[in-house]
Amino acid sequence: MPINAQDILAPNGPIARRLGDVYEHRPEQVQMARFITESIASGHAALVEAGTGVGKSFAYLLPVIEHVLATDDRDQKKRIVISTHTIALQEQIIHKDIPLLRAVIPDEFSAVLVKGRGNYVSLRRASRAWDRSADLFDDNASKRSLETILEWTKQTEDGSLASLPVLEAPSVWGDVQSDSEDCLGKRCPTYDKCFYQAARRRMLNADLLVVNHALFFSDLGMRQQGFGILPPYDAVVLDEAHTIEDVAGEHFGLTVSKFQVEYLLSRLHAARRHKGLLPALRLKIDADLHNRAVQAVEDARIGSKDFFEELLYWQETQGRSNGRIDKPIPMQNVLTPLLSDLSLALKRIRDRLDDEADRLEAGSYADRAEVLGQELASLLEQKLPDSVYWIEATTPGSPGSPGSPAPGSPGSPGASNRPRRTRIKLCGAPVEVAGLLRQRLFEATTAKRKPLPVMMTSATLATDAVHQDTDAGASKRKPADPFAHIRARLGCEDAHTLLLGSPFNYARQAELIVDRTMPAPSDPDFFSRLCPAVLNLIDHTDGGTFVLFTSYQLLSKVALWLREPIAERGMPLLIQGDGVQRSALLESFRADNRSVLLGTDSFWQGVDVQGQALRNVIITKLPFTVPDRPMIEARTQRIKARGGNAFMEYSLPEAILKFKQGFGRLIRSTQDTGCVAVLDSRLTTKHYGKKFIHALPDMPVRELTGDVLSQSE
């Protein structure tokens, strides 16, 4: 029978009856559901900012379920993709939201979590790795890890990494994971038991496919070459859509790293240990073919070492401090020909092997070597259209994230005092993805040649907010076009938009604390003033605090200053970058209401801590991106070249969106209360500061002056 999203979300609807007193009817959620329903019907692209607490997952899940269950052409399969950026949201949709909706919707529908092929174990490859373990591994940790995997394959239901126990030697997974280039398909003796093939059958039969952005944009890129990962679909919902530009750019670009090359070569032949594919095949081929391939591996290994050392030396002596490469590097590409020679040697071996599985494996490695060489040549010769190129060099153990020292700067990776082993990547990505997304996504059609509905939503897409108009009572003031920035960045200028505020009562639940007296972040006294201010604010709420930074460098300095006074107060101090996983840091934070957590980029978004565990968020600096990062620099130069104002058109809107993300960590439920403090005086001293404040919901604003908090007028 037909379903209606608005009826299901009604105050006395099926969800309300099932959840009882826990259910909260939210008009914003109903409004969003109606808007999504209209977008699917019209085929228009849609942008929806739904403030924290709207319940946006139900607001788009119900309309897409309504669409796949429509009776007009139920005999023809309908399929909708739902893509998220974080694993946490995927798991919420699959394990919490969809089971609840199944319980209240009378008709049946199916939904699966779609993972990349490399997330599944190959039973044939695992068995082969065991048979060859003497030739593949010479350390006990790897052998024990392989034993763990084999035992796990006898018990696991899905055969995916999510259920795999922690391995002593995680690299062993590369020898057992499912691989399209090393797959026998229906000729495989384990085909009927194959976890990946079972997952693919579920995907082909499902109504809803829940994926992550990385997989979605990988698939989108592959479709230009005539193949893909996902089956045809009739609509797509992109949740956490504020991340689309960066994820799409990464997957439309190329990266070749020293590690990639070394890993490939070590899987073929580990020189000192005489382990790898070639030793495993040595009794199946002529000694001459084997020895030539081994020599090709060693030549490529030496060539790789020389190439990346020369690349790093060029960066140190002639390159720019930010790693950007403005024009092709004047150095000889010795590595691509060597990888091509290696590929040819492996193909000769492939053609002499009798066993089909062996031929497939040798051919797979041959293709990888050839593709790596071709991609390296494309990067060096800067063949990618309309792209920016750069070198990334990091030392082992360094965060390698925005805010760490630039390559070539004192104390940075790649400086003359670097450790012997430096991780180095050569990268290229499109300066702007708007044109690519417009062509490949927003102008795409379904299998029925209808416009593909693309619905994008997030809590932070607009650079302004819905505010109460004090001169007009309860009426709302809607900005002229708060989505102008995201429209331009993504190439969806014609998208229909909806701006929804949060149902939370920020005027009662939250307050914004600003400090007009802080020196500017560029001032030499900023750090000496910042640390006492942070400690004062921590004392203000007796812990329960996130301190958010825009760089690891500042985080480390503040952490060192805070250690002793925080220890004296008996508060747990949790520091990102101390070697503890983010999930473990959050678990520890929730366990003690007086905890203080210091975090950078990944803690500004996608973190949900409800209740009194988090009652204070301190933003140390307005989150402007580092202007000389290669991609940021290229984007701002592009705007200036066409006569625009790069700060107003790009830097400021991006900072506002991230600022809203950081602010959004505080209030996660109707019971939460607390404060957000901003220790960047630019919020009040610069003309653009009010844009940050106006992007937030209405709430009390208080001033921090020394140790005194006062109500702002």
Side-chain angles (χ1 to χ4, degrees):
M1 59 180 290
I3 68 167
N4 183 284
Q6 297 174 59
D7 292 342
I8 293 176
L9 293 171
N12 59 348
I15 295 180
R17 291 195 297 272
R18 185 168 186 85
L19 295 181
D21 294 339
V22 178
Y23 182 69
E24 297 176 2
H25 176 67
R26 287 162 271 191
E28 296 92 347
Q29 188 179 51
V30 175
Q31 189 178 353
M32 179 175 171
R34 186 186 306 117
F35 183 78
I36 295 295
T37 299
E38 294 169 355
S39 298
I40 294 175
S42 67
H44 283 294
L47 288 164
V48 183
E49 174 169 303
T52 307
V54 165
K56 64 182 186 303
S57 57
F58 277 10
Y60 60 68
L61 283 171
L62 281 166
V64 301
I65 294 169
E66 180 181 351
H67 178 70
V68 300
L69 293 179
T71 57
D72 55 348
D73 55 354
R74 187 70 178 126
D75 57 322
Q76 296 188 18
K77 182 69 177 177
K78 298 177 185 176
R79 188 182 292 115
I80 293 182
V81 171
I82 298 166
S83 181
T84 78
H85 184 59
T86 60
I87 294 173
L89 183 52
Q90 287 177 291
E91 292 178 344
Q92 173 194 313
I93 292 170
I94 285 292
H95 300 304
K96 182 180 177 182
D97 296 342
I98 287 178
L100 175 59
L101 294 179
R102 279 203 184 106
V104 301
I105 293 174
D107 286 356
E108 292 186 3
F109 66 93
S110 57
V112 297
L113 178 61
V114 181
K115 304 177 183 180
R117 184 167 194 153
N119 283 275
Y120 295 93
V121 68
S122 164
L123 295 173
R124 180 180 63 83
R125 295 191 79 214
S127 176
R128 184 178 66 194
W130 178 254
D131 293 339
R132 293 179 180 172
S133 57
D135 290 314
L136 290 176
F137 314 116
D138 65 351
D139 63 298
N140 291 330
S142 294
K143 293 174 182 177
R144 286 193 297 268
S145 294
L146 182 57
E147 290 176 354
T148 298
I149 292 172
L150 291 172
E151 285 301 313
W152 164 75
T153 60
K154 300 173 184 177
Q155 305 166 10
T156 179
E157 295 182 0
D158 66 352
S160 81
L161 270 171
S163 61
L164 178 67
V166 176
L167 302 177
E168 289 182 74
S171 63
V172 172
W173 180 256
D175 295 285
V176 303
Q177 70 186 58
S178 183
D179 184 342
S180 61
E181 295 180 344
D182 188 9
C183 176
L184 291 170
K186 294 183 178 180
R187 302 188 306 279
C188 177
T190 63
Y191 180 80
D192 291 338
K193 301 177 183 178
C194 179
F195 293 108
Y196 170 72
Q197 295 297 342
R200 184 158 183 83
R201 286 191 291 272
R202 290 193 296 270
M203 176 182 72
L204 293 173
N205 291 319
D207 299 308
L208 307 183
L209 308 181
V210 181
V211 307
N212 63 25
H213 289 347
L215 188 148
F216 179 79
F217 287 107
S218 291
D219 174 78
L220 203 61
M222 291 178 183
R223 286 170 182 264
Q224 296 299 113
Q225 304 169 38
F227 58 93
I229 304 167
L230 301 173
Y233 44 85
D234 299 281
V236 58
V237 177
L238 298 172
D239 202 342
E240 300 177 307
H242 59 280
T243 63
I244 289 175
E245 181 178 19
D246 289 338
V247 178
E250 179 182 345
H251 285 85
F252 291 158
L254 291 176
T255 296
V256 173
S257 69
K258 180 182 178 183
F259 174 80
Q260 282 178 283
V261 178
E262 289 180 345
Y263 182 80
L264 171 66
L265 299 178
S266 68
R267 306 321 285 173
L268 288 168
H269 183 251
R272 286 187 294 240
R273 297 179 284 124
H274 298 290
K275 304 293 181 181
L277 174 67
L278 294 176
L281 295 177
R282 67 186 182 280
L283 299 180
K284 298 183 179 183
I285 55 176
D286 296 338
D288 184 54
L289 276 178
H290 172 266
N291 293 337
R292 287 185 183 182
V294 168
Q295 187 60 52
V297 171
E298 295 312 306
D299 290 344
R301 182 173 283 119
I302 294 170
S304 175
K305 179 177 179 293
D306 292 343
F307 172 82
F308 284 107
E309 283 188 357
E310 184 179 354
L311 183 65
L312 194 56
Y313 178 76
W314 178 89
Q315 167 60 29
E316 293 174 356
T317 58
Q318 301 179 54
R320 296 181 53 190
S321 62
N322 67 351
R324 185 176 175 186
I325 309 168
D326 297 310
K327 57 184 178 181
I329 300 174
M331 61 178 280
Q332 184 180 1
N333 179 7
V334 298
L335 187 51
T336 292
L338 292 172
L339 290 171
S340 180
D341 290 344
L342 173 59
S343 176
L344 183 59
L346 292 171
K347 288 176 181 177
R348 287 172 177 158
I349 288 177
R350 175 200 61 191
D351 294 341
R352 297 291 184 89
L353 289 167
D354 295 326
D355 183 78
E356 182 182 11
D358 289 338
R359 289 199 305 272
L360 196 64
E361 185 178 18
S364 170
Y365 278 106
D367 291 342
R368 291 181 197 177
E370 186 173 11
V371 168
L372 262 180
Q374 291 172 348
E375 291 180 344
L376 180 62
S378 293
L379 288 167
L380 283 172
E381 298 167 23
Q382 301 197 349
K383 290 183 177 179
L384 301 177
D386 196 30
S387 293
V388 57
Y389 301 84
W390 69 95
I391 295 171
E392 287 183 13
T394 57
T395 54
S398 67
S401 62
S404 55
S409 63
S412 72
S416 58
N417 61 346
R418 68 179 185 273
R420 259 182 354 125
R421 293 182 64 81
T422 300
R423 296 169 182 164
I424 183 166
K425 298 178 182 178
L426 188 59
C427 310
V431 177
E432 296 177 333
V433 298
L436 294 170
L437 290 177
R438 188 181 301 112
Q439 174 191 1
R440 301 182 186 185
L441 184 60
F442 300 119
E443 295 178 355
T445 58
T446 67
K448 299 177 184 178
R449 310 307 299 171
K450 295 181 179 179
L452 176 70
V454 180
M455 293 148 287
M456 297 158 283
T457 185
S458 170
T460 52
L461 290 177
T463 54
D464 209 330
V466 174
H467 291 274
Q468 293 286 347
D469 187 338
T470 56
D471 296 329
S475 65
K476 301 282 187 177
R477 182 192 66 81
K478 187 173 182 179
D481 186 8
F483 294 94
H485 176 69
I486 200 74
R487 287 180 194 269
R489 299 311 307 171
L490 300 184
C492 54
E493 291 84 353
D494 296 330
H496 292 190
T497 61
L498 178 64
L499 180 60
L500 296 171
S502 171
F504 297 151
N505 188 344
Y506 283 93
R508 178 184 61 81
Q509 293 179 251
E511 66 176 353
L512 179 67
I513 297 173
V514 300
D515 190 343
R516 296 175 182 270
T517 67
M518 281 290 293
S522 58
D523 191 294
D525 293 332
F526 176 74
F527 176 75
S528 63
R529 294 278 302 278
L530 175 69
C531 294
V534 169
L535 185 60
N536 176 38
L537 286 163
I538 291 171
D539 286 338
H540 175 61
T541 56
D542 192 34
T545 302
F546 271 11
V547 188
L548 300 180
F549 297 85
T550 58
S551 76
Y552 280 99
Q553 184 179 18
L554 182 60
L555 181 153
S556 299
K557 291 175 65 179
V558 173
L560 186 63
W561 192 96
L562 284 175
R563 280 188 189 277
E564 185 175 339
I566 293 297
E568 290 173 352
R569 288 159 171 76
M571 298 174 178
L573 181 62
L574 308 169
I575 304 169
Q576 184 181 4
D578 268 3
V580 181
Q581 294 292 327
R582 187 177 83 152
S583 57
L585 286 174
L586 285 171
E587 185 177 343
S588 298
F589 183 86
R590 293 187 180 103
D592 191 319
N593 278 2
R594 300 184 72 231
S595 294
V596 177
L597 188 150
L598 277 56
T600 57
D601 191 63
S602 63
F603 280 93
W604 285 76
Q605 59 183 320
V607 176
D608 190 358
V609 180
Q610 296 188 17
Q612 283 300 292
L614 178 60
R615 51 195 179 273
N616 186 1
V617 174
I618 302 172
I619 295 175
T620 54
K621 287 185 181 181
L622 295 178
F624 289 103
T625 53
V626 180
D628 73 340
R629 284 174 54 192
M631 180 58 75
I632 305 304
E633 183 183 70
R635 287 173 178 170
T636 56
Q637 287 177 347
R638 177 65 53 84
I639 293 170
K640 291 176 182 177
R642 56 181 179 238
N645 183 319
F647 178 79
M648 297 302 294
E649 292 182 30
Y650 182 76
S651 301
L652 180 60
E654 287 290 306
I656 289 173
L657 292 177
K658 187 167 183 180
F659 180 73
K660 290 173 64 177
Q661 284 285 338
F663 173 86
R665 296 316 95 214
L666 181 67
I667 304 299
R668 310 298 300 176
S669 74
T670 55
Q671 287 75 42
D672 291 353
T673 59
C675 61
V676 174
V678 184
L679 298 179
D680 190 330
S681 60
R682 291 176 295 181
L683 194 69
T684 55
T685 61
K686 296 294 185 181
H687 65 90
Y688 54 76
K690 62 184 179 182
K691 292 183 178 293
F692 285 91
I693 296 176
H694 208 270
L696 302 178
D698 293 317
M699 75 194 84
V701 179
R702 302 178 74 187
E703 289 189 16
L704 176 64
T705 306
D707 294 338
V708 180
L709 281 167
S710 60
Q711 187 73 36
S712 179
E713 296 181 0

